[in-house]
Amino acid sequence: MSGEAPSWREITTDEYAPRIFPETSGSAQWIASSDRVYELLKGQHEGQYRLRLILCEAVDLKRGPNANALWYWDYDAGPPAITCVAETWIQAKDGRRRRVGENGFAR
């Protein structure tokens, strides 16, 4: 290997969220979702790629009067293990992206 960092692989919740497993129900959806997340993280751990999670405001932002589109924890990101990705970004409804900092807020 040339010492270069692996290329980025961008993912969205459409690749692993419980909602994409309609053939199952209840906790089986979360188990299937978690298995998919662990599969993705394994590839990152093995150096195949670096994961960049893109949370989409139009799809993943939790509904409610106090939802903050710039705060990671107001998004339905799926299983907790997904926080192990190399980077997380929030994509606004207008298409602009902001990187999520260590404090959970998008810059």
Side-chain angles (χ1 to χ4, degrees), residues 2-3 6 10 14 24 35-36 41 43 47 54-55 67 70 74 81-82 84 88 95 97 104:
S2 65
E10 291 191 351
D14 290 338
T24 59
D35 288 346
R36 178 67 180 133
L41 291 171
I54 309 297
L55 294 173
L70 297 178
D74 275 350
I82 200 62
C84 295
T88 302
R97 289 184 178 181

Side-chain angles (χ1 to χ4, degrees), residues 7-87:
S7 60
W8 287 101
R9 176 172 176 189
E10 291 191 351
I11 60 172
T12 66
T13 58
D14 290 338
E15 292 189 51
Y16 66 83
R19 69 177 180 272
I20 69 166
F21 300 99
E23 66 281 356
T24 59
S25 62
S27 63
Q29 288 179 318
W30 272 94
I31 292 169
S33 178
S34 294
D35 288 346
R36 178 67 180 133
V37 167
Y38 291 130
E39 181 183 309
L40 289 164
L41 291 171
K42 182 179 177 193
Q44 177 176 269
H45 179 73
E46 292 174 349
Q48 297 172 20
Y49 45 75
R50 292 178 289 170
L51 290 172
R52 178 181 288 142
L53 174 61
I54 309 297
L55 294 173
C56 301
E57 179 182 356
V59 176
D60 303 312
L61 184 64
K62 295 175 185 174
R63 305 295 177 235
N66 297 323
N68 182 341
L70 297 178
W71 195 45
Y72 174 85
W73 299 108
D74 275 350
Y75 282 81
D76 185 7
I82 200 62
T83 60
C84 295
V85 297
E87 286 185 359

